[in-house]
Amino acid sequence: MVYSYQMYGYPSQTVQETIDSLEMVRQMFELGIIQSGFWYQFALTAHSPVGLNPSEYGITPNYKSILFANNDVMFKGKTGLDHEQFSFGLKKSLFNFMHGIGFDMPLQE
């Protein structure tokens, strides 16, 4: 069984790029190239390359006073998108694809 990790919500990712990613995943499931997987939303961490150089990635981080670790830092990207809005649809679509259904449905549904 081939398990795939899909990521979405990169600081510069557009709505169309997210839709295109979902379509590519749909096709790979339909062709039997992958059989299982999960969508992971990009998370900004303070010590990652993006967190260390936020201006190079067009983001403004919202750091909070955290004493132990600064994981999952909230940020605003240049696209202005709230990528969380795609979470349910991406995960539901993947669930359907893993069960062999929904290939003929429009991606908007």
Side-chain angles (χ1 to χ4, degrees), residues 1-6 25 29 34-40 90-91 94-95 97-98:
M1 178 189 320
V2 176
Y3 183 92
S4 64
Y5 290 90
Q6 290 87 227
V25 168
F29 269 98
I34 55 179
Q35 292 78 38
S36 185
F38 192 79
W39 286 100
Y40 295 90
L90 291 171
K91 292 173 184 175
L94 194 65
F95 176 86
F97 300 158
M98 285 191 285

Side-chain angles (χ1 to χ4, degrees), residues 13-79:
Q13 190 170 10
T14 65
V15 171
Q16 188 60 53
E17 289 170 330
T18 303
I19 293 167
D20 292 347
S21 296
L22 176 57
E23 174 59 18
M24 184 184 323
V25 168
R26 183 194 67 77
Q27 290 178 25
M28 288 191 289
F29 269 98
E30 191 169 28
L31 293 170
I33 295 169
I34 55 179
Q35 292 78 38
S36 185
F38 192 79
W39 286 100
Y40 295 90
Q41 186 172 351
F42 172 84
L44 176 63
T45 56
H47 302 292
S48 68
V50 180
L52 291 172
N53 303 293
S55 61
E56 290 180 23
Y57 296 89
I59 65 166
T60 304
N62 181 12
Y63 295 114
K64 296 181 180 173
S65 296
I66 299 173
L67 299 177
F68 177 68
N70 212 357
N71 297 323
D72 293 337
V73 175
M74 301 300 293
F75 67 92
K76 290 192 189 282
K78 59 184 172 186
T79 63

